[in-house]
């Protein structure tokens, strides 16, 4: 059995080491030997992206609730962590146990979007697992894929043993049952894959062989006679709220740092560009009671101060007004706000907006998608300019100053007039809808290039070139007024590569591997993306990437034709024809069945809440700005230690961790006033990442005195990671921002006692130690010597006292080690440093 991966000498050297240490609230760490099937769920992007992914959390809890399986997590490391692991020949590992990925039975890799494809190779390479499925043997884990991009997995099909199409909640249970049998019977890898192919929704790429002629596919030959196509798996209805009642609470801040509640799955609006709207049908709504149960348990067990209502079309939820009123009635007094993803114009009602603002005005985005009514008819958006103006007018009237619009360029039949109309629409929204509010109103316009997606009516349409995309963006930059508007856009080069892979085939596997070998990493991040690497790789592979953006004919074989979403091809073809005629297809929730083919009306059918639930009267609304009455503040100083892995948390991460622990502990924390209230907590000076401390503290203002300090210490400790311990709580007269002297213990095992002693003597003899710092592009000099009160060596330990004057520039132990004892920056990062104690001092005049 492999031992735990040792990363103690790696973490101090990388950015955001907290990404790699695990220990988040509500993680499950079961005993390895007691579980028979071992999964590691991998999100092929950075921690901040992966920890925002709802699907990963759902599967994590499903597997860990079983008595015969466990699931751990892993994310793609950043480039510095990748280099550090390679330099030390250390394998990539799971967060829960730092166990090498090769130890697991199954690696479940999410396929969320096309620009993460090279990250999959990074994960496999660092795990010392062959990249191509054909090169693996019985000693290697099964590499299983799934997710939104799995509906055309062909560009990465050669890297996977099997891929799940559709909803994963049921099939992951069936896979576990299968693997229990596989392990008991000692089946070969080939036998395992044949058994997996019998499960509805499981695609085994090695059992299909595409044939080509030039840029076209002539056939996709099934290699098993009974296995000729794969049908997407559909979950008939949303599962029990108890399944996700204890959400994973990240410490490193993810892009969506909130409690996500999936209120519905599927959308039948029928936007012709939208892959998710086709591949996640039919609509399955949760009841209001189930959502309230999820919110109650989720906030209690997490401490989040925001919950997000998630679905493809949240505004279409049948009982949204009622739900919002109930949520805000329950959570407004706890300063928990509610946000929603991009809202369909016309569904963001005054009732909903009024409820949102009861705590804080969370931002919202409306998505007209196109600038003209004509083009919105082509894409079946089903909204008109008046709908947008009404939505904006309501938002501005209720106190919002900023609205974000999202548009696409390059949509089928788009003209120059359609593009320029984007600006005209934004202008009207600001001038007409925001009338009377003057310069306070701002419109942010976000632009993305249309990428044709498989399994949609527009899967046959061409994608515009990156040059055309850039020209359209430049035109918008020219004509959009600067005052009161802002323009953001997705880089055309990234959209270009996304388009290549969106409708790509298996021949692109060589391109992905070659580009990865040339250094392509984290392509979804603009700071890492380099299209030139891809172009050079394409030339080497003899691939013309532009051909993948071309128009397809209705009679040609598409790379994904053997993979079925459940929506009939005839329906997609008819929708394409209707788009050219600007004909509207109604939502089947309102206009009757549109014959898309997904429902059997027995097991698979729309599940929408009854109207009686949606018609519950909302609570009376208070449109006035919420002002909490002034309360007497009881100030407490909480002292705590940060040891072990908690030394790798950044200061902002510690702040958020403490805020949530106070919430979960039920302390009556006071909040600031206004539209964006925040807890009244003041922290001691930020501790540099990588340094331990036995002498940290924060002040918290409470609305009533604590009845038992000892019990509060116990309660608060229970809400903190094991590496953070509350040592004392005292009642104070007020919050103090004091100067202090801190004692640090530095362990220098790599140096001889004589070397340490000589360096200390030399340092203590210095009259000054002037260094140069660059802050905000300005150079400043600072004399470190007066800030070092004392330095003394005791064997391999160095004790340093540093003075920290409130409001004045200070230093830290690593800076002193580098400049005062001539350690290299890497040596200063690797030595173990611990803040031992602090004492308050007077600030010099």
């Amino acid at each position: 059995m492999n031992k735990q991966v040792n990363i103690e000498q790696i973490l101090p050297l990388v950015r955001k080491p907290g990404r790699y240490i695990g220990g988040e609230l509500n993680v499950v760490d079961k005993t390895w030997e007691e579980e028979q099937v071992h999964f590691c769920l991998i999100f092929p992007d950075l921690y901040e992206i992966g920890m925002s992914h709802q699907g990963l959390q759902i599967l994590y809890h499903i597997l860990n609730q079983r008595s015969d399986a466990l699931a751990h997590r892993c994310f793609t490391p950043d480039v510095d962590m990748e280099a550090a692991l390679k330099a030390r020949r250390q394998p990539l590992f799971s967060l829960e146990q730092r166990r090498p990925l090769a130890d697991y039975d199954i690696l479940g890799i999410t396929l969320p979007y096309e620009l993460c494809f090279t990250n999959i190779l990074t994960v496999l390479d660092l795990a010392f697992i062959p990249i191509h499925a054909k090169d693996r043997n019985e000693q290697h884990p099964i590499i299983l894929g799934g997710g939104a991009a799995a509906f055309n997995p062909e560009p990465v099909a050669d890297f996977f043993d099997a891929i799940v199409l559709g909803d994963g909640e049921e099939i992951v249970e069936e896979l576990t049952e299968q693997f229990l049998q596989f392990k008991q019977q000692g089946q070969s890898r080939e036998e395992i894959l044949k058994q997996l192919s019998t499960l509805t929704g499981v695609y085994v790429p090695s059992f299909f062989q595409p044939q080509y002629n030039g840029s076209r596919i002539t056939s996709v030959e099934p290699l098993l006679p009974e296995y000729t196509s794969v049908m997407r798996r559909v979950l008939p209805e949303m599962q029990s709220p108890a399944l996700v009642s204890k959400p994973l609470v990240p410490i490193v801040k993810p892009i969506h740092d909130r409690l996500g509640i999936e209120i519905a799955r599927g959308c039948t609006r029928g936007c012709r560009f939208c892959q998710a709207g086709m591949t996640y049908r039919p609509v399955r709504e949760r009841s209001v009671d189930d959502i309230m149960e999820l919110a109650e348990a989720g906030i209690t067990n997490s401490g989040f101060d925001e919950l997000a209502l998630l679905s493809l079309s949240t505004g279409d939820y049948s009982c949204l007004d009622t739900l919002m009123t109930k949520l805000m009635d329950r959570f407004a007094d706890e300063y928990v706000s509610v946000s929603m993803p991009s809202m369909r114009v016309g569904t963001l009602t005054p009732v909903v907006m009024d409820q949102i603002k009861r705590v804080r005005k969370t931002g919202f985005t409306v998505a007209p998608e196109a600038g003209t009514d004509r083009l919105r008819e082509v894409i079946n958006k089903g909204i008109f300019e008046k709908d947008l103006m009404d939505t904006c007018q309501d938002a501005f009237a209720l106190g919002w100053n900023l609205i974000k619009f999202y548009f696409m360029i390059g949509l089928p039949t788009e003209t120059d007039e359609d593009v320029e109309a984007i600006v005209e629409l934004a202008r009207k929204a600001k001038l007409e809808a925001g009338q009377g509010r003057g310069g306070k109103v701002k419109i942010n316009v976000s632009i993305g290039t249309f990428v044709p997606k498989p399994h949609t009516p527009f899967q046959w349409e061409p994608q515009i070139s990156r040059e055309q995309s850039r020209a359209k963006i430049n035109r918008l930059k020219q004509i959009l007024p600067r005052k009161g508007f802002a323009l953001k856009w997705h880089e055309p080069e990234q959209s270009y590569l996304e388009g290549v892979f969106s409708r790509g085939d298996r021949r692109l596997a060589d391109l992905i591997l070659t580009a990865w070998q040339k250094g392509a990493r984290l392509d979804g991040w603009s700071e890492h993306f380099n299209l030139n690497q891809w172009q050079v790789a394409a030339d080497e592979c003899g691939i013309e990437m532009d051909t993948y953006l071309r128009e397809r004919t209705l009679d040609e074989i598409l790379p994904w034709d053997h993979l079925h979403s459940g929506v009939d091809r005839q329906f997609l073809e008819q929708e394409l024809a209707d788009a050219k005629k600007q004909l509207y297809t109604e939502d089947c929730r309102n206009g009757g069945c549109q014959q898309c083919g997904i429902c059997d009306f027995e097991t698979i059918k729309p599940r929408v809440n009854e109207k009686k639930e949606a018609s519950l009267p909302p609570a009376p609304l208070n449109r006035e700005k919420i002002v909490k009455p002034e309360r007497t503040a009881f100030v407490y100083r909480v002292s705590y230690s940060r040891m072990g892995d908690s030394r790798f948390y950044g200061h902002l991460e510690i702040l958020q961790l403490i805020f949530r622990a106070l919430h979960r502990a039920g302390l009556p924390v006071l909040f600031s006033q206004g539209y964006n209230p925040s807890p009244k907590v003041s922290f001691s000076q930020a501790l540099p990442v990588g340094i331990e401390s036995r002498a940290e503290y924060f002040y918290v203002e409470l609305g009533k005195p604590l009845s038992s300090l000892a019990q509060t210490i116990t309660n608060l400790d229970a809400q903190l990671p094991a590496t953070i311990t509350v040592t004392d709580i005292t009642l104070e007269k007020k919050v103090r921002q004091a100067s202090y002297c801190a004692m640090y213990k530095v362990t220098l095992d790599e140096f001889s006692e004589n070397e340490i002693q000589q360096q200390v003597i030399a340092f203590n003899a210095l009259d000054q130690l002037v260094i140069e710092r660059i802050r905000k592009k300005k150079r400043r000099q600072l004399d470190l010597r007066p800030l070092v009160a004392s330095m003394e060596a005791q064997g391999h330990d160095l004790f340093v006292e540093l003075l920290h004057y409130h409001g004045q520039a200070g230093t830290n132990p690593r800076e002193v080690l580098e400049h005062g004892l001539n350690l290299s920056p890497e040596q200063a990062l690797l030595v173990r440093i611990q803040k031992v104690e602090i004492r308050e001092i007077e600030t010099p005049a």
Side-chain angles (χ1 to χ4, degrees):
M1 185 67 67
N2 287 321
K3 296 180 180 179
Q4 185 184 65
V5 177
N6 182 5
I7 54 175
E8 284 293 308
Q9 294 299 300
I10 294 178
L11 290 179
L13 304 178
V14 301
R15 295 181 297 275
K16 292 192 178 180
R19 291 166 167 162
Y20 311 108
I21 61 177
E24 302 94 334
L25 184 71
N26 297 327
V27 294
V28 181
D29 190 9
K30 302 163 84 171
T31 303
W32 182 273
E33 292 75 18
E34 293 179 359
E35 309 302 328
Q36 298 177 63
V37 182
H38 307 107
F39 283 80
C40 191
L41 302 176
I42 298 168
F43 194 91
D45 209 324
L46 298 182
Y47 178 98
E48 293 92 316
I49 305 295
M51 278 300 289
S52 297
H53 191 259
Q54 194 76 0
L56 183 141
Q57 292 220 19
I58 291 171
L59 297 181
Y60 181 86
H61 288 298
I62 287 176
L63 289 167
N64 282 316
Q65 285 180 7
R66 293 182 62 99
S67 61
D68 51 14
L70 62 75
H72 294 158
R73 296 162 299 137
C74 177
F75 303 92
T76 301
D78 206 344
V79 291
D80 58 341
M81 185 64 167
E82 178 189 356
L85 288 170
K86 284 186 172 181
R88 292 161 177 79
R89 293 292 297 169
Q90 292 278 20
L92 189 58
F93 51 89
S94 62
L95 294 190
E96 278 75 4
Q97 292 188 1
R98 294 183 191 167
R99 185 176 289 271
L101 298 189
D103 278 4
Y104 291 82
D105 298 310
I106 304 171
L107 301 185
I109 302 179
T110 304
L111 294 172
Y113 35 77
E114 291 83 359
L115 295 186
C116 71
F117 285 169
T118 55
N119 302 342
I120 297 167
L121 306 193
T122 300
V123 168
L124 295 174
D125 178 62
L126 289 175
F128 302 121
I129 294 172
I131 284 174
H132 288 93
K134 62 182 176 60
D135 296 327
R136 299 179 198 129
N137 57 36
E138 275 67 23
Q139 279 66 53
H140 296 118
I142 292 293
I143 308 302
L144 182 69
F151 285 97
N152 178 28
E154 293 304 284
V156 291
D158 287 347
F159 310 139
F160 284 88
D161 296 304
I163 297 167
V164 172
L165 301 186
D167 300 323
E169 288 92 336
E170 291 181 338
I171 204 165
V172 75
E173 301 257 27
E174 295 173 15
L175 285 166
T176 304
E177 297 293 339
Q178 290 273 11
F179 266 84
L180 285 170
Q181 296 179 28
F182 299 155
K183 297 188 81 169
Q184 292 165 1
Q185 298 169 5
Q187 291 180 313
S188 70
R189 199 175 191 88
E190 181 75 8
E191 291 170 332
I192 290 173
L193 295 179
K194 284 183 179 179
Q195 286 296 316
L196 292 181
S197 72
T198 65
L199 298 178
T200 301
V202 175
Y203 172 43
V204 180
S206 60
F207 294 154
F208 293 84
Q209 182 61 54
Q211 304 294 330
Y212 306 96
N213 181 14
S215 64
R216 297 196 175 207
I217 297 174
T218 57
S219 66
V220 179
E221 300 294 336
L223 304 184
L224 298 179
E226 70 280 8
Y227 187 52
T228 58
S229 64
V230 180
M231 178 60 71
R232 165 199 162 210
R233 191 61 171 266
V234 181
L235 185 70
E237 59 184 320
M238 303 293 287
Q239 292 192 315
S240 165
L243 183 66
V244 285
S245 61
K246 290 189 174 182
L248 300 179
V249 182
I251 297 173
V252 173
K253 187 179 179 67
I255 55 167
H256 299 305
D257 195 16
R258 63 200 185 189
L259 173 66
I261 298 179
E262 188 181 20
I263 66 171
R265 189 172 298 181
C267 174
T268 47
R269 284 287 188 172
C271 296
R272 291 169 178 138
F273 58 84
C274 182
Q275 185 184 55
M278 297 294 166
T279 58
Y280 283 98
R281 294 181 175 211
V283 172
R284 291 146 287 169
E285 292 186 345
R286 287 193 192 275
S287 69
V288 170
D289 287 344
D290 278 359
I291 295 170
M292 291 301 298
E293 183 180 335
L294 275 169
E296 186 73 47
I299 294 298
T300 299
N301 294 326
S302 69
F304 284 116
D305 64 357
E306 179 181 342
L307 61 87
L309 304 181
L310 306 178
S311 84
L312 291 175
S313 186
T314 299
D316 286 324
Y317 180 74
S318 301
C319 319
L320 188 58
D321 288 359
T322 300
L323 174 62
M324 283 297 302
T325 302
K326 284 191 170 186
L327 285 170
M328 298 315 301
D329 285 349
R330 169 61 186 87
F331 292 109
D333 288 343
E334 295 182 17
Y335 298 93
V336 175
S337 61
V338 177
S339 65
M340 284 170 279
S342 176
M343 292 287 286
R344 180 182 173 85
V345 172
T347 63
L348 195 59
T349 66
V351 172
V352 171
M353 286 187 276
D354 224 340
Q355 293 297 332
I356 288 174
K357 61 179 276 191
R358 284 173 62 178
V359 174
R360 58 180 69 90
K361 293 202 298 291
T362 52
F364 61 82
T365 301
V366 291
E369 312 290 358
T372 62
D373 285 343
R374 183 202 68 80
L375 191 51
R376 285 190 288 272
E377 289 173 349
V378 170
I379 64 177
N380 207 53
K381 191 65 182 173
I383 61 168
F384 297 92
E385 183 177 308
K386 182 181 183 304
D387 302 318
L388 180 63
M389 293 301 113
D390 289 345
T391 296
C392 294
Q393 194 167 34
D394 289 338
F396 292 144
L398 288 169
W400 266 266
N401 295 325
L402 171 66
I403 295 181
K404 301 175 185 178
F405 289 169
Y406 177 75
F407 296 92
M408 282 188 286
I409 53 175
L411 287 163
T413 79
E414 181 186 71
T415 65
D416 290 343
E417 289 75 18
D418 292 315
V419 175
E420 295 185 359
I422 291 173
V423 171
E424 186 58 30
L425 199 60
R427 278 177 171 166
K428 285 183 179 179
K430 185 176 188 302
L431 296 175
E432 295 181 18
Q435 196 168 14
R437 303 210 61 203
K440 294 181 180 180
V441 169
K442 186 174 181 180
I443 304 288
N444 282 358
V445 178
S446 293
I447 303 295
T449 300
F450 163 67
V451 176
K453 293 291 184 177
H455 306 284
T456 70
F458 288 162
Q459 65 182 355
W460 294 280
E461 290 294 300
Q463 180 175 333
I464 63 174
S465 69
R466 61 184 185 275
E467 292 80 13
Q468 291 172 308
S469 180
R470 182 68 66 187
K472 293 174 188 289
I473 291 170
N474 287 339
R475 179 57 180 158
L476 291 171
K477 289 164 67 176
Q478 289 175 352
I479 63 177
L480 185 70
R482 293 189 178 185
K483 188 175 181 180
F485 299 88
L487 182 68
K488 298 181 180 179
W489 59 90
H490 189 68
E491 292 298 333
E493 290 75 18
Q494 289 176 296
S495 297
Y496 170 79
L497 190 63
E498 180 186 346
V500 170
F501 289 130
S502 174
R503 295 184 295 171
D505 53 47
R506 288 196 197 180
R507 291 173 293 187
L508 292 178
D510 288 341
L511 172 62
I512 294 169
L513 178 58
T514 304
W516 175 79
Q517 290 170 336
K518 293 184 177 299
R521 298 291 189 277
L522 299 169
D523 293 295
W525 297 79
S526 56
E527 61 265 37
H528 293 289
F529 181 74
N530 183 348
L531 185 60
N532 183 62
Q533 290 173 331
W534 289 94
Q535 291 169 323
V536 172
D539 290 341
E540 286 190 15
C541 296
I543 290 174
E544 179 53 60
M545 291 194 289
D546 286 352
T547 63
Y548 287 95
L549 305 188
R550 67 177 175 83
E551 183 179 7
R552 271 56 163 184
T553 60
L554 292 178
D555 61 347
E556 73 175 281
I557 296 172
L558 302 173
W560 54 90
D561 272 351
H562 55 301
L563 308 176
H564 300 301
S565 71
V567 175
D568 291 338
R569 183 187 179 106
Q570 292 82 0
F571 176 79
L572 300 180
E573 291 183 2
Q574 185 61 53
E575 282 296 290
L576 179 63
D578 288 348
K580 302 298 174 64
K581 300 173 186 176
Q582 296 174 223
L583 297 178
Y584 180 60
T585 301
E586 289 190 272
D587 186 335
C588 67
R589 285 173 294 189
N590 307 315
C593 179
Q594 301 299 318
Q595 305 296 317
C596 75
I598 188 64
C599 296
D600 60 17
F601 296 101
E602 293 180 1
T603 304
I604 308 303
K605 58 184 177 181
R607 297 182 186 272
V608 181
N609 292 319
E610 295 180 12
K611 291 184 178 180
K612 64 179 182 180
E613 187 175 27
S615 63
L616 292 173
L621 301 178
N622 177 16
R623 295 179 181 272
E624 300 301 319
K625 177 178 176 180
I626 296 175
V627 178
K628 298 290 183 182
E630 289 293 331
R631 301 171 66 181
T632 301
F634 296 88
V635 178
Y636 288 88
R637 174 169 164 147
V638 180
S639 301
Y640 65 98
S641 65
R642 287 177 54 185
M643 306 298 289
D645 283 348
S646 67
R647 72 187 188 276
F648 295 119
Y649 302 150
H651 183 63
L652 295 179
E653 292 155 8
I654 283 288
L655 265 61
Q656 189 68 276
L657 187 154
I658 295 294
F659 291 160
R660 289 172 178 163
L662 292 169
H663 187 172
R664 292 192 302 273
L667 297 184
V669 179
L670 293 180
F671 280 69
S672 62
Q673 301 295 310
Y675 276 122
N676 292 289
S678 58
K680 302 186 97 172
V681 184
S682 303
F683 289 82
S684 54
Q685 187 179 38
L687 189 70
V689 174
I691 295 180
E692 295 176 305
S693 177
R694 297 188 180 277
E696 296 303 290
Y697 65 89
F698 62 86
Y699 290 99
V700 57
E701 299 182 41
L702 304 181
K704 60 182 179 180
L706 297 172
S707 57
S708 170
L709 297 182
Q711 186 60 51
T712 301
I713 290 175
T714 300
N715 293 344
L716 199 50
D717 258 344
Q719 301 302 329
L720 291 167
T723 52
I724 297 179
T725 304
V726 177
T727 56
D728 191 28
I729 298 179
T730 57
L731 180 63
E732 303 285 327
K733 292 182 178 180
K734 63 178 181 178
V735 175
R736 301 197 309 276
Q737 299 292 342
S739 299
Y740 64 92
C741 179
M743 173 69 79
Y744 295 89
K745 176 185 176 183
V746 182
T747 302
L748 298 167
D749 288 331
E750 300 298 316
F751 300 86
S752 70
E753 293 184 19
N754 184 58
E755 286 177 313
I756 298 170
Q757 195 66 250
Q758 292 302 314
Q759 289 281 14
V760 170
I761 292 171
F763 178 85
N764 286 331
L766 294 174
D767 291 326
Q768 62 178 11
L769 180 59
V770 179
I771 65 167
E772 188 172 75
R773 289 177 174 172
I774 300 177
R775 296 286 188 272
K776 297 181 180 179
K777 299 183 180 180
K778 292 184 179 179
R779 296 180 182 273
R780 292 186 174 88
Q781 289 188 332
L782 176 67
D783 187 359
L784 297 184
R785 187 62 188 87
L787 299 176
V788 182
S790 69
M791 182 183 291
E792 178 185 349
Q794 296 180 15
H796 286 278
D797 291 332
L798 183 68
F799 291 88
V800 183
E801 281 191 307
L802 299 183
L803 303 174
H804 299 271
Y805 296 120
H806 177 62
Q808 298 182 21
T811 187
N812 65 69
R814 290 204 191 101
E815 197 169 48
V816 173
L817 292 174
E818 282 187 49
H819 298 282
L821 273 68
N822 301 312
L823 270 65
S824 69
E826 181 170 316
Q827 287 173 323
L829 286 168
L830 288 174
V831 297
R832 202 67 176 257
I833 304 173
Q834 183 182 123
K835 185 194 287 188
V836 179
E837 62 179 1
I838 61 172
R839 66 177 189 277
E840 292 187 6
I841 59 176
E842 293 292 328
T843 303

